[in-house]
Amino acid sequence: MRSAKGAAAARGVTGWLADSLDSRTRIGSAVKELGRKIFPDHWSFLLGEVALYSFIVILISGTFLSLFFQASMAPVEYQGAYVPLKGFEMSAAMASTMDISFSIRGGLLMRQVHHWAALLFIASIGLHMLRVFFTGAFRKPRELNWIIGFILFVLAMAAGFTGYSLPDDTLSGNGLRIADGTLKAIPVVGTYASSLLFGGEFPGDDIVGRLYALHIMVIPAAILGLIALHLMFVVLHKHTHYPTAGRTESNVVGLPVLPAYAAKAGGFFFIVFGVIVAIASFLGINAIWLYGPYDPSPVSAGTQPDWYIGFVDGILRLVPPGWETELFGYTFSWNILVPVAVVGIFLLAVVLYPFIEAWILRDKSEHHLLQRPRNAPVRTALGVAGMAFYAVLWIAASSDILATHFQLSIEDVIRTLQILLVLGPIIAFSVTRRICLALRRKDRSILLHGRETGRIVRLPGGDFREVHADVDVYETWRLVDHTNYQLIDSLAGGDSAPQSRLNRARNWISRQFLEDRFIIDETLQSMEDEAPDS
């Protein structure tokens, strides 16, 4: 009886607090409205969740590490538990990292959890953006969310770079030296920018402290703000979904956030957390005690940045030597400026692609249905070409590893990768586009004749024929892709007025984008011709 009264009193207090909070903030209405939101129940949408949960793991593990890390470059004599480096002079930053790894209970595990979570965070953002790109989820009205996702990807790389530069070991020192050299290659302002970042001549006296402030405050705050903005736009615009998501009445698009999807998301968070901890427990990473404190004098093969920075290192290795010019008393290092410009143009094309495609197709309508990659052959081919370009640069970052492990000439490795950097994207584009068009022709056959069943029947005349199953309305919608773009009048034979070179180029590119549309148009026309008169 007494326990029942206590429970009733507790419920009364809780109810009073809830009513008081709701009456002042209207949070109950917001939660109810949010709970009605539908989240698509498709595995590809989990990539964004993996990124979010990885970032939560980063914050948890990073908070633990910040309690013991000393962001100082003051020289100290190491007297910790790792015997091979005992008595060596190193910075306080590296000494504290060594203590975290060998003297703090659970410190090494948390270091590796933090590192692996960061790698998974960047990888999942990249894969999520590829899913958005290949399915056309970036189209109006979601262009701003695409830009936010791109900025998040760049910030994630910046967070990773500033993070693995903190221990002040040989690997991080070499990475900072490359960054310093890149800054100094910029004419006029390069030396000033380097001095501002490092606080003087490289390596400076407090670069670790500056990177630490960026790593634990500035960049995480920006990422948190952009994640909140990204989720706000997701709620505002609703989720995109696949055309066949409404096959059943009970699953129109997906599941409501409350209570079904929230419970699944909570369980998925612990799965992601557990997988990261399992990887960190069995796979070591960033063993700074093997590299030793930073010393710019030794030079050796095998220095590798984290994979997401590899493409920047790779393009610097592929530049031919001797690209320098003396002008107006300044040295223009084209072997640095040209790679930086190429990477900048590549990233700019990625972030502006939604607007470029809309301009080419003259597309001003809203899109809430996703496309299959084959339904946009040119876009898919461009994406695969970009991936091939990135892959060659990524492999180039390991050119010395390839040469030493396979006993090859480093010059031959570099020359091969230079050729692949040019021909690889072209071949990838051509092959991918042809595959997409072939798949579209297969869809045309299915629309006209139905789907094969494998059942053979004998006709009265003695002929054998396979029975084809009719395609239902959902399958027809998926195969046809009902996005109707209008052809340019001048290309369709209408307006013959002269046009500018820009418009002619725009029309030609538009026709390449719409080539697959002719296949489906012919299919629909054939279906209408073969249909019996009503």
Side-chain angles (χ1 to χ4, degrees):
M1 180 67 68
R2 185 173 300 173
S3 61
K5 290 181 178 179
R11 284 196 298 271
V13 172
T14 304
W16 176 79
L17 288 175
D19 292 340
S20 299
L21 182 63
D22 184 53
S23 65
R24 290 165 174 79
T25 62
R26 299 296 181 186
I27 192 172
S29 300
V31 171
K32 182 181 292 186
E33 182 65 24
L34 181 62
R36 295 197 192 104
K37 301 299 180 183
I38 300 298
F39 196 95
D41 194 16
H42 191 274
W43 67 267
S44 64
F45 291 90
L46 297 179
L47 295 170
E49 289 190 59
V50 172
L52 176 61
Y53 301 153
S54 301
F55 184 65
I56 295 175
V57 176
I58 290 172
L59 294 180
I60 295 172
S61 56
T63 301
F64 175 89
L65 297 175
S66 65
L67 300 176
F68 306 99
F69 180 73
Q70 298 181 30
S72 171
M73 295 186 68
V76 297
E77 184 177 312
Y78 178 69
Q79 295 296 333
Y82 188 70
V83 176
L85 289 181
K86 185 169 289 189
F88 276 71
E89 184 179 282
M90 60 182 64
S91 66
M94 182 169 181
S96 65
T97 307
M98 295 288 293
D99 290 337
I100 291 173
S101 303
F102 294 103
S103 302
I104 304 299
R105 188 180 297 275
L108 180 58
L109 176 63
M110 295 305 292
R111 270 195 67 223
Q112 299 191 156
V113 165
H114 191 69
H115 204 136
W116 281 113
L119 297 181
L120 183 60
F121 178 55
I122 300 172
S124 54
I125 291 179
L127 291 175
H128 179 63
M129 291 190 67
L130 287 176
R131 196 276 301 172
V132 170
F133 179 84
F134 285 119
T135 59
F138 56 80
R139 295 175 295 173
K140 186 180 178 180
R142 296 173 178 85
E143 303 97 332
L144 184 58
N145 241 1
W146 170 263
I147 296 175
I148 292 173
F150 175 82
I151 297 174
L152 277 172
F153 185 68
V154 174
L155 286 176
M157 291 193 294
F161 178 76
T162 55
Y164 82 70
S165 300
L166 292 180
D168 198 32
D169 60 304
T170 297
L171 182 62
S172 64
N174 285 332
L176 287 174
R177 190 53 168 164
I178 294 174
D180 174 63
T182 303
L183 282 176
K184 288 180 176 176
I186 302 175
V188 183
V189 300
T191 54
Y192 297 101
S194 173
S195 178
L196 180 64
L197 175 63
F198 290 93
E201 187 64 28
F202 178 86
D205 297 327
D206 194 32
I207 183 60
V208 170
R210 298 178 180 212
L211 293 178
Y212 188 64
L214 291 172
H215 184 69
I216 71 168
M217 291 189 297
V218 179
I219 297 177
I223 291 177
L224 279 172
L226 289 175
I227 288 176
L229 191 61
H230 176 76
L231 295 177
M232 184 189 74
F233 278 116
V234 168
V235 173
L236 178 65
H237 295 144
K238 310 296 188 297
H239 256 290
T240 54
H241 56 275
Y242 293 96
T244 55
R247 279 182 175 270
T248 62
E249 294 181 1
S250 60
N251 182 22
V252 178
V253 175
L255 298 174
V257 173
L258 294 176
Y261 202 86
K264 292 178 64 175
F268 188 54
F269 165 72
F270 289 107
I271 291 175
V272 173
F273 202 156
V275 169
I276 292 175
V277 173
I279 295 175
S281 301
F282 294 101
L283 299 176
I285 193 170
N286 200 18
I288 62 170
W289 50 90
L290 298 180
Y291 308 139
Y294 176 62
D295 183 356
S297 58
V299 177
S300 62
T303 300
Q304 299 292 296
D306 276 343
W307 67 268
Y308 49 87
I309 298 294
F311 76 102
V312 179
D313 188 19
I315 196 170
L316 292 174
R317 300 187 185 200
L318 294 184
V319 178
W323 276 17
E324 291 186 351
T325 304
E326 293 283 346
L327 289 175
F328 309 112
Y330 294 99
T331 300
F332 290 83
S333 300
W334 304 113
N335 53 349
I336 300 293
L337 296 176
V338 171
V340 170
V342 170
V343 170
I345 293 172
F346 176 73
L347 296 179
L348 185 63
V350 171
V351 72
L352 295 181
Y353 183 82
F355 305 97
I356 296 174
E357 181 175 303
W359 177 78
I360 290 173
L361 298 178
R362 293 172 169 81
D363 183 13
K364 299 180 181 180
S365 58
E366 291 191 0
H367 300 275
H368 302 285
L369 292 179
L370 299 176
Q371 293 179 301
R372 292 187 301 167
R374 70 179 67 178
N375 291 346
V378 174
R379 179 205 301 151
T380 302
L382 286 173
V384 175
M387 292 170 62
F389 180 78
Y390 177 89
V392 173
L393 297 182
W394 186 62
I395 295 172
S398 302
S399 56
D400 53 345
I401 298 292
L402 293 174
T404 55
H405 279 58
F406 294 99
Q407 298 181 359
L408 301 172
S409 168
I410 186 64
E411 290 80 7
D412 292 340
V413 173
I414 294 296
R415 193 173 297 111
T416 302
L417 291 173
Q418 288 172 340
I419 295 173
L420 286 177
L421 186 63
V422 177
L423 296 183
I426 298 174
I427 296 173
F429 177 88
S430 178
V431 171
T432 303
R433 181 167 167 272
R434 296 311 306 170
I435 291 175
C436 289
L437 292 176
L439 291 173
R440 293 290 277 166
R441 288 184 170 86
K442 177 186 175 183
D443 292 343
R444 178 180 186 274
S445 176
I446 294 174
L447 284 171
L448 287 175
H449 308 293
R451 191 173 294 280
E452 296 180 357
T453 63
R455 187 163 65 92
I456 308 296
V457 298
R458 184 177 181 181
L459 302 180
D463 296 337
F464 290 90
R465 183 172 297 176
E466 182 182 15
V467 178
H468 287 71
D470 292 335
V471 179
D472 61 21
V473 63
Y474 298 102
E475 187 72 2
T476 301
W477 186 283
R478 185 175 71 91
L479 295 176
V480 170
D481 179 19
H482 287 272
T483 305
N484 295 317
Y485 296 108
Q486 298 297 322
L487 290 177
I488 311 304
D489 289 338
S490 61
L491 293 177
D495 185 11
S496 58
Q499 297 185 4
S500 65
R501 292 182 179 179
L502 179 61
N503 278 335
R504 287 199 298 270
R506 181 183 184 183
N507 294 343
W508 182 85
I509 298 173
S510 176
R511 194 169 184 85
Q512 306 310 307
F513 268 81
L514 298 177
E515 180 176 355
D516 71 304
R517 186 67 49 200
F518 307 139
I519 298 172
I520 298 303
D521 286 346
E522 293 171 2
T523 304
L524 296 177
Q525 185 62 46
S526 300
M527 293 174 67
E528 292 177 1
D529 295 341
E530 294 178 6
D533 295 334
S534 57

